[in-house]
Amino acid sequence: MKEKILIDTLIAAQSGDMHIREELIRSHKAFISRVSSKICNRYLTWDNDDELSIALIAFNDAIDTFDPDGGASFYSFVHMVIHRRLVDYFRKEGKHQHLSLSPMNPEDEELSRYDSDTSQLQYQEIENTAVFAEVVENYVHVLSDYNVTLDDLVKVSPKHRESKQTLLRVVLALSSEPNLMAHLKKHRLLPIKELELLTGVKRKVLEKGRKYLIALALVLYEPEFHPLKSFMQIPTEPEE
């Protein structure tokens, strides 16, 4: 579901449109099942597993609590909410002890402060990893709309420092121009002519670096992909 359509749908559901809410939930049941199965480390079915009922309620609650203006990805937010609800369920039911990442009773005198702090850190680390994995998954899906894969990025990443700095300069210029980014997102094509005029970089260089430029510009421009900036070592301003 495209971002603007998704946001409009969420706002309508939050405003009380039950038909849209029900359709939103129905169309995301496969997503809910996939996320829940990953968290539980096993395949879940709607007829047999309570975990999916918990996740469905979590998804419905996420619709109400998500902030469309917050800049975060709805899917990353949903993943976090489902993860938290399932961990709470595991603790309460005494199931899946390997996922009980914090003490069931923080005031239990038998648990040392070290164990409590360590378990909280483990919980946060795994939660962050899960959310980051969801960001990467969404990023890969978006890149496919531009016929770009992660393998492509490895192949087309510039090897020489000077070439890399030239393309990074173009990326920063592109991602700071909403009109050019709108053209890129609408047509799935790099605005070569405009970038050549804006940056002075030759058309041949821009065409050769097309996939690299698109991939990095999306990371810088789309708030949901900002967590990838440090991972992909993208500077926020050109080097001197």
Side-chain angles (χ1 to χ4, degrees):
M1 186 177 292
K2 299 302 182 182
E3 182 178 359
K4 186 179 186 308
I5 297 176
L6 175 61
I7 294 300
D8 290 344
T9 302
L10 286 167
I11 292 174
Q14 290 175 346
S15 299
D17 191 320
M18 294 306 298
H19 176 73
I20 286 182
R21 179 184 292 267
E22 290 170 2
E23 177 60 24
L24 185 63
I25 293 173
R26 185 200 63 77
S27 64
H28 282 83
K29 287 189 73 173
F31 171 79
I32 295 169
S33 177
R34 176 167 52 84
V35 169
S36 303
S37 294
K38 284 184 179 180
I39 293 172
C40 297
N41 293 319
R42 64 186 180 86
Y43 180 71
L44 302 175
T45 60
W46 289 98
D47 294 332
N48 299 314
D49 294 296
D50 292 338
E51 288 87 346
L52 285 178
S53 297
I54 302 297
L56 193 66
I57 294 172
F59 184 89
N60 184 60
D61 290 343
I63 293 175
D64 292 323
T65 55
F66 178 71
D67 180 6
D69 299 321
S73 161
F74 174 68
Y75 294 108
S76 296
F77 179 73
V78 168
H79 192 295
M80 179 183 66
V81 174
I82 291 177
H83 187 274
R84 286 177 175 171
R85 295 293 177 82
L86 285 176
V87 169
D88 289 342
Y89 170 72
F90 297 150
R91 291 178 186 151
K92 181 179 178 181
E93 299 297 320
K95 297 180 178 181
H96 305 275
Q97 291 301 319
H98 60 288
L99 289 180
S100 295
L101 299 174
S102 60
M104 294 182 65
N105 181 6
E107 297 178 357
D108 192 331
E109 294 181 354
E110 295 180 3
L111 291 174
S112 68
R113 180 176 297 276
Y114 173 81
D115 288 337
S116 178
D117 291 345
T118 299
S119 62
Q120 292 290 348
L121 288 173
Q122 289 174 335
Y123 177 89
Q124 189 63 51
E125 180 179 354
I126 289 179
E127 183 170 279
N128 289 343
T129 300
V131 172
F132 184 78
E134 191 71 21
V135 172
V136 173
E137 187 172 346
N138 291 339
Y139 180 59
V140 170
H141 177 72
V142 170
L143 284 181
S144 67
D145 292 338
Y146 298 84
N147 294 317
V148 180
T149 67
L150 293 184
D151 286 340
D152 289 336
L153 293 186
V154 174
K155 296 175 183 177
V156 302
S157 295
K159 304 299 186 293
H160 301 291
R161 184 178 184 277
E162 184 176 348
S163 299
K164 184 175 183 179
Q165 288 303 313
T166 296
L167 291 183
L168 286 175
R169 179 162 59 85
V170 175
V171 166
L172 293 171
L174 171 59
S175 61
S176 64
E177 292 289 337
N179 291 337
L180 296 187
M181 288 301 301
H183 178 280
L184 172 65
K185 295 176 68 175
K186 179 179 180 180
H187 301 287
R188 301 292 191 266
L189 294 172
L190 200 65
I192 297 288
K193 181 178 179 180
E194 292 82 353
L195 284 176
E196 186 177 15
L197 291 173
L198 179 65
T199 65
V201 176
K202 299 295 185 182
R203 182 182 188 91
K204 182 178 179 180
V205 174
L206 297 173
E207 290 177 341
K208 183 178 179 180
R210 180 185 69 84
K211 292 183 176 181
Y212 182 80
L213 293 171
I214 290 174
L216 269 64
L218 289 172
V219 171
L220 289 178
Y221 188 75
E222 300 291 356
E224 66 178 296
F225 298 141
H226 285 178
L228 299 176
K229 285 193 292 187
S230 59
F231 177 74
M232 298 178 70
Q233 299 182 333
I234 306 176
T236 55
E237 57 185 29
E239 294 184 7
E240 297 294 336

